[in-house]
Amino acid sequence: MGSSEHAASDSRAGWRVAVANSISEIPPDVWRKLAPSDDPIYGYALFQAMERTRLGPDSYRYLVVRQGERVRAVLPTCVFRSLALEDVLGNQGRQALRPLRRIMRRPLRIKMLICGHLLGEGRVLRNGDGLHETARHLLVDAVRELSASVGTRWTVFKDFSQTDLEWLDPALGKAGYFRAPGLPDAWLGLRAESFDEFISSLSRNGRSVARRNLAKFSGHQDAAIEVRERFDDLVPAMMPLYQAVLDRAETRLDVWTPEFMALLSTDPRIPAKAVTCWYQDRLVGFLICLFREKSGVAIRIGLDYDCSRDLRLYQVTYYRGIEEAIRMGVARLNLTQTAYEAKRKMGCDLVPLDHAVTHRNPVCRAILRYALPMAVNRSGDQV
């Protein structure tokens, strides 16, 4: 495995961290042994597709922790050299930035290193908790050195679970990181053997809402819905629907490209399916899902807002994704962030995620420690 630069080491313990410039520098079998087997967003091919199709970051880097010759952990990161701060903070943050925006008359842009996953929950890929404490300190030191080498001033461990942050906490605290709340993921446990049984298992209000939404959609004889394993021919029609949802989103770290959409469909190593909604022979909605044997994630949605409310497109696409997950025997489905009221009615539980944040300037770091937790988007109300 090649690596572009030496990041950190402790020769006494045999530990070292190196920086790989591409996931392709990490052998696939090494990645698979460290990545969670039940989380489809950590597929090797998905990271390759993200690298090839420019979803927002200027570059990707992977911090590879070795003990001797053995790879013990990997931390994916991505580098933003000119990220609009407004796209990170959401409505609350935008309101706080308005006075500064009026003075500067242009968006405030920042240089940021994001640790974790651009599209979902952040993780340090590792085998259990058997890593020596040296590893976490070396890893956080390596993040600092990487940030300095690529010229970023902000560093964020984005959307990490409590478990991973607790493992990193001694090193993060020593390095001056502080916590800021992230949006939770909406997880749905699937114990039903059929979609009808799933609907019956919901709360009284959830059942009523689901049946009403499904009836509303079915009441349109010229509306139809299907699941496709190949959908690259639909990408030109999907992009405006995706853009319509993106335009309403509070935060925008990643911006999908037609090339990335097509790769999700055509790369057989990426377990993607698309729920597609049609009205009068026109594509009006879609939901892209990634499935593993027992777990899945509904990763992105696109909607035609001119007919979305009347057809109940948002809800119906998720119902069809849930039905497909049940058919495949999936036990847990992550409906991800935002629109929590609708997802609670579908039976979801909210799983908290947090950010760990620092800034190279100690004065800015002190200000951010106080201000950032109040500014980040915590509502997740958008649909």
Side-chain angles (χ1 to χ4, degrees):
M1 178 186 70
S3 58
S4 64
E5 46 190 301
H6 183 264
S9 66
D10 184 340
S11 58
R12 294 167 299 174
W15 293 90
R16 57 192 174 93
V17 183
V19 181
N21 294 315
S22 168
I23 192 173
S24 298
E25 297 178 13
I26 303 171
D29 60 326
V30 170
W31 180 274
R32 283 193 292 269
K33 287 177 183 177
L34 296 173
S37 61
D38 61 344
D39 192 341
I41 70 168
Y42 277 91
Y44 191 88
L46 183 65
F47 274 81
Q48 287 183 315
M50 289 164 56
E51 287 183 18
R52 288 174 56 186
T53 55
R54 298 188 64 84
L55 300 190
D58 294 280
S59 59
Y60 295 84
R61 298 288 189 273
Y62 302 83
L63 293 175
V64 181
V65 182
R66 287 180 175 272
Q67 184 181 23
E69 293 304 310
R70 180 184 175 192
V71 176
R72 298 296 305 277
V74 174
L75 175 63
T77 75
C78 50
V79 179
F80 288 87
R81 291 193 170 88
S82 183
L83 178 64
L85 186 55
E86 295 177 352
D87 286 346
V88 180
L89 296 180
N91 285 337
Q92 292 169 280
R94 281 193 279 274
Q95 291 172 7
L97 288 174
R98 280 174 185 167
L100 186 59
R101 176 71 181 271
R102 284 195 291 267
I103 294 171
M104 299 182 66
R105 297 183 180 180
R106 59 182 174 82
L108 180 62
R109 294 191 171 273
I110 60 175
K111 298 177 180 180
M112 178 181 286
L113 176 67
I114 289 181
C115 302
H117 201 308
L118 185 65
L119 305 183
E121 179 183 337
R123 298 177 184 267
V124 178
L125 306 187
R126 56 196 172 100
N127 283 328
D129 299 320
L131 293 183
H132 191 272
E133 63 179 21
T134 299
R136 59 191 175 202
H137 289 281
L138 280 179
L139 187 57
V140 172
D141 287 346
V143 168
R144 175 181 51 79
E145 294 181 19
L146 175 60
S147 174
S149 71
V150 297
T152 58
R153 302 186 67 81
W154 295 61
T155 301
V156 179
F157 283 73
K158 181 187 81 71
D159 287 328
F160 273 63
S161 70
Q162 191 69 25
T163 300
D164 259 10
L165 282 185
E166 284 179 353
W167 181 74
L168 289 165
D169 261 344
L172 292 174
K174 183 179 178 181
Y177 284 80
F178 60 90
R179 295 281 188 96
L183 290 172
D185 272 345
W187 277 95
L188 181 62
L190 295 174
R191 293 173 291 276
E193 295 185 2
S194 69
F195 184 68
D196 286 341
E197 184 180 333
F198 165 75
I199 294 294
S200 298
S201 72
L202 297 176
S203 66
R204 179 185 298 180
N205 181 252
R207 290 195 303 272
S208 175
V209 168
R211 288 167 178 161
R212 188 164 59 247
N213 288 333
L214 290 165
K216 187 73 172 177
F217 183 81
S218 299
H220 295 268
Q221 294 186 356
D222 43 4
I225 191 166
E226 63 179 347
V227 176
R228 290 194 176 193
E229 294 188 5
R230 285 292 301 265
F231 49 88
D232 44 301
D233 59 316
L234 298 179
V235 168
M238 295 168 75
M239 290 307 298
L241 306 179
Y242 164 73
Q243 188 65 48
V245 175
L246 182 67
D247 289 344
R248 296 186 176 210
E250 288 200 34
T251 56
R252 291 176 287 271
L253 280 178
D254 58 287
V255 179
W256 285 24
T257 64
E259 294 77 14
F260 182 69
M261 288 265 206
L263 275 177
L264 294 182
S265 170
T266 59
D267 191 328
R269 301 170 301 165
I270 301 176
K273 295 187 179 186
V275 177
T276 58
C277 292
W278 303 82
Y279 182 54
Q280 298 175 345
D281 296 323
R282 178 170 56 90
L283 185 69
V284 294
F286 71 84
L287 178 70
I288 293 180
C289 300
L290 304 177
F291 292 114
R292 285 276 177 87
E293 184 177 353
K294 294 297 181 182
S295 182
V297 55
I299 196 167
R300 285 297 181 272
I301 194 167
L303 299 170
D304 182 339
Y305 284 101
D306 289 340
C307 60
S308 176
R309 183 178 295 275
D310 188 42
L311 293 175
R312 302 298 193 268
L313 286 180
Y314 183 86
Q315 292 84 354
V316 169
T317 53
Y318 274 102
Y319 296 148
R320 187 64 184 87
I322 293 166
E323 183 177 9
E324 181 66 12
I326 293 170
R327 188 192 69 79
M328 295 178 64
V330 167
R332 297 178 73 231
L333 185 62
N334 186 357
L335 302 191
T336 66
Q337 299 168 333
T338 75
Y340 294 121
E341 181 180 356
K343 290 171 183 175
R344 281 193 181 100
K345 291 176 182 176
M346 297 178 197
C348 288
D349 295 317
L350 303 188
V351 177
L353 299 171
D354 284 322
H355 313 306
V357 184
T358 193
H359 194 282
R360 285 171 61 188
N361 185 307
V363 176
C364 290
R365 189 188 311 147
I367 295 172
L368 289 168
R369 183 185 294 272
Y370 170 75
L372 191 62
M374 296 186 292
V376 294
N377 170 33
R378 279 180 276 178
S379 66
D381 289 337
Q382 69 270 23
V383 172

